[in-house]
Amino acid sequence: MVFLWPTLLWLLLVLPLLVLLYLWLLRRRKAAAVPYPGLALVRQALGPGHGWRHHVPPLLFLLGLAALLVAAARPLAVLQLPSQQQTIILAMDVSGSMRATDVQPDRLTAAQNAAKAFIKDLPRHVRVGVVAFAGTAQLAQLPTQSHEDLLKAIDSFQLQRGTATGNGIMMALATLFPDAGIDIAALGGRQSMRVRPIDEVGRADPAKKPLTPVAPGSYRSAAIIMLTDGQRTTGVDPLEAAQWAADRGVRVYTVGVGTVQGELIGFEGWSMRVRLDEDTLKAVALRTNAEYFHAATAQDLRKVYETLSSRLTVEKKETEVSALLALAGAALMLLAAGLSVWWFGRVL
């Protein structure tokens, strides 16, 4: 815990002075009671609990005062609070390699099941969009709070040829930033993708200011989760796409599915070995201040999505807790006054 006004903590030195004052008053009261020996009979008649009750209200008052003095110094504490993340884009690989069965029952089905479980666990206020990419990138579902629409979009995936991981990221960014200068029509093509450089976006429309890059990961309103099992074979360089995301502060969490050594599969008369390009996926996550996860089994994949759910819906924040301490201090003082009136008929 740190304090915005730490010098006010010197006021806590008042507390030991108050304790000494209280002890002095007790001695004075005891000395005044010596000439009246009959008071001992009164205390005995009141019972054994009457003595310690005298000390409870002052102690509670002292604790309440301490809380108020600490609150005056404006303490900051790191707390887990609901995240401000409002939109999550799932960019999912639907290339032919996702039919591999090293992840049971197969990579695509395992990915679909894990994604659907992830969506069901999200708070209803979080909007989710779905991008499907193979040799092309398509928006399968606009960001929505309707879990039913999202589940239908995920169930409708069709396997295609090619792997354009960069296009998947760019389509997700085009969904989050419609005015970013990304040619969505070109995203459907394999090599004809047209992405205007950042400095051209402002010149295209004089009314718009050129983008000023922000710190990677600083955009708290949205995040992208990209799941893939292969290497890029076409489309935009994923590191170039990651730089676009980083300049806008958007985190791109990457999930690698399958084995690193790869697997030989057949698809529409083709035979190919698919390998997981972990180096690129790690670089994408690192560039955007996010994280990379590897899922070699269906259970691993479910755990990855559970981890992402907790990361994206709850975040640690340095928060001022002055109000909480002030409330606790006031409550302790009211309790002290209430007990004093209840037990002794007056405020001690």
Side-chain angles (χ1 to χ4, degrees):
M1 184 179 290
V2 295
F3 300 87
L4 294 178
W5 296 344
T7 53
L8 290 182
L9 292 175
W10 288 103
L11 293 174
L12 291 173
L13 294 177
V14 174
L15 299 180
L17 296 178
L18 291 177
V19 172
L20 293 176
L21 177 62
Y22 179 69
L23 294 176
W24 178 77
L25 289 174
L26 286 179
R27 288 185 179 182
R28 184 180 177 184
R29 184 179 299 177
K30 185 179 294 186
V34 169
Y36 305 98
L39 290 177
L41 296 176
V42 175
R43 291 195 186 96
Q44 187 175 0
L46 290 174
H50 185 73
W52 64 263
R53 285 185 179 182
H54 273 94
H55 304 300
V56 172
L59 177 60
L60 292 175
F61 177 84
L62 195 68
L63 292 175
L65 181 60
L68 291 176
L69 293 176
V70 173
R74 299 185 63 186
L76 298 175
V78 178
L79 304 176
Q80 283 195 337
L81 299 173
S83 174
Q84 295 179 353
Q85 216 91 38
Q86 298 296 323
T87 305
I88 298 172
I89 304 295
L90 294 178
M92 301 185 65
D93 190 344
V94 293
S95 60
S97 57
M98 291 291 285
R99 68 172 61 245
T101 58
D102 55 344
V103 179
Q104 294 296 323
D106 58 68
R107 294 177 181 178
L108 180 61
T109 302
Q112 288 173 310
N113 292 338
K116 288 189 286 187
F118 168 76
I119 290 170
K120 290 177 181 177
D121 290 339
L122 288 176
R124 279 285 179 177
H125 73 274
V126 178
R127 299 192 310 152
V128 180
V130 180
V131 169
F133 67 90
T136 63
Q138 299 173 344
L139 182 62
Q141 175 61 56
L142 282 166
T144 178
Q145 295 176 349
S146 172
H147 289 184
E148 293 74 18
D149 291 343
L150 292 166
L151 300 183
K152 289 178 182 178
I154 292 174
D155 284 333
S156 67
F157 287 165
Q158 298 290 329
L159 293 177
Q160 304 170 27
R161 290 184 182 178
T163 304
T165 50
N167 287 36
I169 297 174
M170 295 305 297
M171 178 61 84
L173 288 172
T175 304
L176 293 174
F177 304 100
D179 300 326
I182 302 173
D183 190 347
I184 297 180
L187 281 169
R190 294 181 182 273
Q191 299 290 351
S192 59
M193 170 105 169
R194 166 61 174 156
V195 181
R196 285 179 290 165
I198 292 174
D199 58 351
E200 290 184 13
V201 175
R203 294 201 301 268
D205 185 352
K208 296 180 182 178
K209 296 181 179 180
L211 172 71
T212 301
V214 299
S218 59
Y219 187 70
R220 296 292 183 178
S221 297
I224 298 171
I225 302 174
M226 184 178 71
L227 182 146
T228 182
D229 72 336
Q231 296 173 308
R232 167 219 176 195
T233 61
T234 185
V236 179
D237 184 343
L239 293 181
E240 181 183 338
Q243 189 60 51
W244 263 68
D247 288 340
R248 287 160 176 77
V250 178
R251 286 186 169 95
V252 181
Y253 295 88
T254 54
V255 182
V257 183
T259 56
V260 177
Q261 62 271 20
E263 181 173 327
L264 189 66
I265 65 170
F267 179 58
E268 294 184 354
W270 293 74
S271 180
M272 56 184 174
R273 177 171 291 276
V274 290
R275 290 184 174 88
L276 181 61
D277 187 3
E278 279 199 311
D279 292 338
T280 299
L281 295 179
K282 290 177 181 178
V284 168
L286 180 63
R287 185 165 295 190
T288 61
N289 197 25
E291 294 177 77
Y292 165 74
F293 301 89
H294 177 228
T297 66
Q299 184 63 28
D300 290 342
L301 192 55
R302 285 192 290 270
K303 289 181 179 179
V304 165
Y305 272 105
E306 288 173 2
T307 301
L308 286 170
S309 177
S310 62
R311 300 276 175 88
L312 296 175
T313 57
V314 177
E315 62 182 345
K316 291 183 178 179
K317 283 186 178 180
E318 192 174 54
T319 306
E320 185 174 346
V321 292
S322 303
L324 293 177
L325 285 174
L327 179 62
L332 287 171
M333 287 185 166
L334 287 175
L335 180 61
L339 290 177
S340 181
V341 172
W342 183 21
W343 287 340
F344 311 111
R346 59 188 178 88
V347 177
L348 296 179

